[in-house]
Amino acid sequence: MSTPHPVFPLHPTWESPGTHRVPFAAYTSEDIYRRELERFFYRSHWCYVGLEAEVPNPGDFKRTAIGERSVILVRGEDLQLHVVENVCAHRGMRFCRERHGNRKEFVCPYHQWNYRLDGALQGVPFRRGVKQDGKVHGGMPADFKLEEHGLTRLKVATRGGVVFASFDHGVESLEDFMGPAILGYFDRLFNGRKLKILGYNRQRIPGNWKLMQENIKDPYHPGLLHTWFVTFGLWRADNRAELKMDARHRHAAMVSTRGEAKKQSDVSNVSSFKAGMQLEDPRFLDIVPEPWWGGPTAVMTTLFPSVILQQQVNSVSTRHIQPVGHDAFDFEWTHFGFEDDTEEMTERRLRQANLFGPAGFVSADDGEVIEFSQQGFEQKPFHRALVELGGREVGDADHMVTETLIRGMYEYWRSVMEKED
């Protein structure tokens, strides 16, 4: 007979007022996870839904998700962007099945209710009944109003070609949500140049959604876990680095400047450093500095709760986190370039994108360790994780040997999750 999982309260037990020891229950409790969805994905936060370049023409749409709720990003006939929930107002069907497409209207296949691209209901079959034998049979009640039964419409904000949406129409502005420090790194990447979609990767990772936010707020592991990064100098503990957070510590930027690939410094005794490793195809290290970099060769920005913005040398992408239960999330990578890129630069971006994604030379490692971490949490749900590298305080840093960004994220997490309704 299997042992049932213990039931945890909505506020897991922390060992101290700080966030340097994270209860495993934060990753294993379904009740806590449901509270996270309401408080982080469906209320008071902006969530990433896509890039404007994915829906360039009137009627173009993209099906995506905010938390576990399916939504559609669509460009209207007037070129305005709309985000509507993919749930028919009649019987609740998820009516849109395609990932991308073009429509003049949305029609639910169940009973043919049809909606304008902005979500307004425009037609209901047999609304006024059916005439038979000189009588009208059926139909909707006399006080039924189309305008009261449209799709749920979300608030939309765009900046630099990136689209965010929120179920909460009272949410703060996108700029205030990011804060000036993180906004600067956002604008560095999305600086007004038109974006060009290069392709997608998708995977389902069997781990708690927060683990991917942690992973990209963790400069401790890249120079230890990732053989590719440390051997070829793309991300190492001895690289010049900055770690920046917004004022509420929910968002962060990890900033690194590439070191020398073969430099024998304090990485000599790191097992992932392979001094004799050579590339069969040296074009993977065909790195060309771009004017907009401004110095750093890599900036990884986490916008809590839903997206990671990646610049690793010439590879740029968004990584969208879509939870599917307390122990799994879908992870969608959108690789892009810029419309004014040369053909050579586009090929370079695509080639370097092989470092990332589900089977990437680097990122495959992350998906695997997240899965194994979740297995450990489920095995020992009463335990806690240690997050004490670099001390127990929270603040910006000018080096990578710290877990301050993770402590900062959980400081924010606690402030929201422990607040009474």
Side-chain angles (χ1 to χ4, degrees), residues 12-262:
T13 302
W14 293 71
E15 292 185 6
S16 74
T19 54
H20 53 278
R21 298 189 177 187
V22 182
F24 283 2
Y27 310 102
T28 62
S29 166
E30 189 69 18
D31 289 338
I32 289 172
Y33 166 68
R34 292 293 157 192
R35 190 181 184 96
E36 288 176 331
L37 288 178
E38 289 299 325
R39 296 200 169 193
F40 297 129
F41 289 91
Y42 307 150
R43 191 195 311 172
S44 304
H45 292 70
W46 287 104
C47 288
Y48 170 84
V49 289
L51 303 176
E52 288 196 56
E54 295 179 89
V55 288
N57 304 307
D60 286 349
F61 72 86
K62 170 192 176 180
R63 177 174 58 82
T64 184
I66 293 179
E68 290 190 353
R69 297 171 75 168
S70 179
V71 300
I72 304 166
L73 166 64
V74 59
R75 190 174 293 276
E77 295 294 335
D78 58 358
L79 299 182
Q80 295 299 306
L81 290 171
H82 308 282
V83 177
V84 296
E85 189 163 18
N86 183 19
V87 175
C88 180
H90 178 216
R91 299 287 289 278
M93 179 176 173
R94 284 191 179 186
F95 56 88
C96 180
R97 310 303 295 172
E98 302 90 347
R99 287 192 184 276
H100 299 269
N102 184 279
R103 294 283 184 277
K104 293 187 179 301
E105 61 186 7
F106 292 120
V107 180
C108 178
Y110 198 175
H111 299 94
Q112 302 290 305
W113 281 37
N114 60 88
Y115 305 88
R116 294 202 307 257
L117 297 178
D118 65 0
L121 180 62
Q122 63 181 0
V124 173
F126 309 125
R127 178 188 173 192
R128 303 192 188 284
V130 176
K131 288 184 178 180
Q132 186 177 12
D133 300 327
K135 297 180 181 180
V136 177
H137 300 274
M140 300 300 287
D143 61 354
F144 177 84
K145 296 180 175 60
L146 292 176
E147 59 269 23
E148 294 178 355
H149 298 280
L151 303 175
T152 296
R153 306 183 204 189
L154 283 68
K155 188 170 184 177
V156 178
T158 63
R159 188 177 179 95
V162 188
V163 188
F164 296 84
S166 180
F167 286 98
D168 184 351
H169 285 257
V171 66
E172 64 189 322
S173 72
L174 179 63
E175 290 72 20
D176 287 345
F177 176 70
M178 288 194 215
I182 300 305
L183 192 62
Y185 288 107
F186 181 93
D187 288 344
R188 169 184 174 273
L189 177 56
F190 301 104
N191 59 8
R193 297 163 66 193
K194 286 192 174 181
L195 307 182
K196 178 171 63 175
I197 304 301
L198 301 184
Y200 300 92
N201 294 118
R202 298 180 180 91
Q203 65 188 124
R204 176 163 292 185
I205 298 178
N208 186 271
W209 68 273
K210 296 188 296 300
L211 292 174
M212 186 53 76
Q213 281 277 341
E214 288 184 29
N215 182 267
I216 310 299
K217 294 176 187 286
D218 170 21
Y220 189 16
H221 83 275
L224 298 168
L225 174 67
H226 301 309
T227 297
W228 227 98
F229 268 172
V230 67
T231 298
F232 298 109
L234 297 185
W235 191 287
R236 289 198 331 217
D238 60 341
N239 286 358
R240 294 195 308 276
E242 286 186 297
L243 307 180
K244 298 290 187 182
M245 288 177 274
D246 70 303
R248 300 186 70 180
H249 301 157
R250 52 188 171 183
H251 316 308
M254 291 202 309
V255 185
S256 175
T257 303
R258 184 188 180 204
E260 293 298 322
K262 297 299 180 182

Side-chain angles (χ1 to χ4, degrees), residues 219 237 239-243 389-390 396-404:
N239 286 358
R240 294 195 308 276
E242 286 186 297
L243 307 180
L389 189 73
D396 293 348
D398 59 2
H399 61 88
M400 293 192 193
V401 194
T402 179
E403 294 167 318
T404 182

Side-chain angles (χ1 to χ4, degrees), residues 288-305:
V288 174
E290 301 184 59
W292 58 270
W293 288 8
T297 52
V299 177
M300 299 293 291
T301 305
T302 45
L303 297 181
F304 191 85

